[in-house]
Amino acid sequence: MTGDSGCSTMAEQHKQEKKLGDALKITAYVFSRGLLVCTALVNCVSWLLQNVTLGNFWQTTWLKFYNLFEGDEWTIFLLGAALVPALAFWGFNGILLVADVTGKPTFITRYRIQLGKNDPVDTKKLLQAIYTALVNQFLISLPMLVPMFHIMKWWGNTFSKELPTFQWFLVELSVFTVIEEILFYYTHRLVHHPVLYKHIHKKHHEWTAPIGVVSIYAHPVEHILSNTLPVMAGPMVMGSHIVSISAWFSIALVTTSISHCGYHLPFLPSPEFHDFHHLKFNQCYGVLGVLDYLHGTDSVFRQTKAFERHKVLLGLTPLSESIPEAPKKAE
């Protein structure tokens, strides 16, 4: 029996090592592809700056903005870290809300993931979600910017008159993404613990078929722990410029809105992964999916049609049509 136990332990260890190796390969693949895309983008942007635009447009624009507010760092930080991301969030979700409430335009609604759900959305639930999202933004996220402001001032680079290079911003973006993935995955799993789920995370999961604004529909504790800190941590670690912070916060809010929107729209990141989490609760906790693969928390998802649809849609035919769910067996 001891020999069998030893063999079993070695087999399990080998299995974990293989899974870790596969996860690292996936990570390397994602980042290598991203690096190629970013390199091409950098070259294109550099060419445009040198051959199309007159002078350094962004640097000049930033200096005008900086001088407009006479270098008032708190006002600049508030506009960049709060107002611009909020406008990005509500601007994007405003379009989605029209589709959710009216069922039009069909160009959006035909890409619905969970067919027959939120068609149209329940008005009472929607108003509650909007109210909670606004409370979280103004009464939680906004006050959290105060300590962040002082941390960024301590770094000394956040309000520099010289903008970071586009190449450096891409490096920062990669670091931000990794930090967010790690912190979000583990804090998200934490609030799924039975002790915390009932009192905290259950609120977010009232929506088994989510919509965009639900991305920040959460208990205050969860909003701090899982929604805000993972996004704020990267810029604080890197001592980033306010322009980088503003861009990152906006990207993060729009991206999480896409993940929750309920529509698999053409040319946008796939929301199938997180939509499946809302449907099944105990799968797909992360953002990128690498930690889910490593921990085996995507095993059920990988056996579904949703996993086959989890890709960027490059055509106009909805994936729910090209890769439909298997017909249910008659009882």
Side-chain angles (χ1 to χ4, degrees), residues 29-100:
Y29 173 78
V30 170
F31 276 98
S32 62
R33 290 289 295 271
L35 183 61
L36 289 174
V37 172
C38 289
T39 301
L41 188 59
V42 168
N43 290 336
C44 289
V45 171
S46 299
W47 184 87
L48 285 170
L49 288 174
Q50 293 173 11
N51 297 283
V52 179
T53 60
L54 298 174
N56 194 329
F57 172 76
W58 293 112
Q59 180 65 49
T60 303
T61 302
W62 162 244
L63 286 176
K64 287 181 179 178
F65 178 82
Y66 186 89
N67 292 327
L68 177 65
F69 293 96
E70 300 178 342
D72 184 339
E73 294 179 347
W74 170 244
T75 301
I76 292 171
F77 185 76
L78 200 61
L79 292 173
L83 181 61
V84 172
L87 290 174
F89 177 83
W90 288 108
F92 181 76
N93 278 289
I95 297 171
L96 294 175
L97 284 172
V98 171
D100 293 330

Side-chain angles (χ1 to χ4, degrees), residues 59 62-63 66-67 71 157-163 241:
Q59 180 65 49
W62 162 244
L63 286 176
Y66 186 89
N67 292 327
N157 300 318
T158 299
F159 305 100
S160 169
K161 290 186 178 182
E162 184 177 351
L163 288 178
H241 195 279

Side-chain angles (χ1 to χ4, degrees), residues 92-166:
F92 181 76
N93 278 289
I95 297 171
L96 294 175
L97 284 172
V98 171
D100 293 330
V101 173
T102 67
K104 296 178 181 179
T106 54
F107 176 76
I108 293 179
T109 57
R110 69 192 292 248
Y111 295 99
R112 195 183 306 278
I113 296 172
Q114 296 187 40
L115 301 177
K117 301 288 184 67
N118 295 327
D119 191 16
V121 68
D122 182 279
T123 305
K124 185 177 180 180
K125 283 185 65 180
L126 175 61
L127 291 175
Q128 183 184 15
I130 293 174
Y131 171 77
T132 302
L134 288 170
V135 168
N136 282 340
Q137 279 189 318
F138 285 98
L139 299 185
I140 297 177
S141 295
L142 195 59
M144 288 180 69
L145 291 178
V146 176
M148 183 182 183
F149 170 73
H150 291 289
I151 291 172
M152 303 318 294
K153 281 198 68 172
W154 175 76
W155 269 99
N157 300 318
T158 299
F159 305 100
S160 169
K161 290 186 178 182
E162 184 177 351
L163 288 178
T165 64
F166 184 64

